[in-house]
Amino acid sequence: MRGKLMFITGLAAGFVLGSRAGREKYEEITANAKKVWEHPTVQEAAGVAQAQANKLYTEGKDKINHSKLGEKLQSASTTGTSDSTLTSSTAGTSASNGTGTTY
């Protein structure tokens, strides 16, 4: 999916940079893209997608923590080995991405 998106982006950039209309066509494309992005339906869909992504992230994180791998990671962080110093030193910290999700 990411490869397709990059290809389409490159194709669009090539079209804009290579078109004879040049700047006018670029302005038209950006104005249309901005109008679509600011449409309430698109914003609502983006909000739903963000909420679903956060839910899936939380569920996946919980599943990992309750799996054998998660148990090994938790036990490794409490043993104090040199391999787990990064894990144990960052276990008590949290980072936020600005959307209310805490990592």
Side-chain angles (χ1 to χ4, degrees), residues 84-102:
S84 65
T85 54
L86 179 61
T87 305
S88 62
S89 66
T90 60
T93 61
S94 63
S96 176
N97 66 358
T99 61
T101 304
T102 302

Side-chain angles (χ1 to χ4, degrees), residues 64-65 67-79 84:
I64 294 246
N65 286 338
S67 69
K68 289 182 180 181
L69 176 61
E71 291 172 5
K72 286 182 181 180
L73 289 173
Q74 288 174 357
S75 67
S77 67
T78 59
T79 60
S84 65

Side-chain angles (χ1 to χ4, degrees), residues 4-97:
K4 288 181 183 179
L5 182 62
M6 294 297 287
F7 175 75
I8 291 171
T9 303
L11 190 63
F15 172 76
V16 169
L17 295 174
S19 69
R20 291 181 187 255
R23 187 73 180 170
E24 292 175 17
K25 195 66 173 173
Y26 171 77
E27 294 294 334
E28 181 183 337
I29 290 170
T30 56
N32 287 334
K34 187 175 182 180
K35 188 182 347 179
V36 167
W37 179 250
E38 291 175 350
H39 194 275
T41 306
V42 174
Q43 288 298 308
E44 183 179 338
V48 169
Q50 178 77 33
Q52 184 67 22
N54 289 339
K55 179 182 172 190
L56 290 172
Y57 169 78
T58 303
E59 289 175 359
K61 184 175 153 185
D62 289 342
K63 284 182 182 180
I64 294 246
N65 286 338
H66 291 87
S67 69
K68 289 182 180 181
L69 176 61
E71 291 172 5
K72 286 182 181 180
L73 289 173
Q74 288 174 357
S75 67
S77 67
T78 59
T79 60
T81 61
S82 62
D83 291 340
S84 65
T85 54
L86 179 61
T87 305
S88 62
S89 66
T90 60
T93 61
S94 63
S96 176
N97 66 358

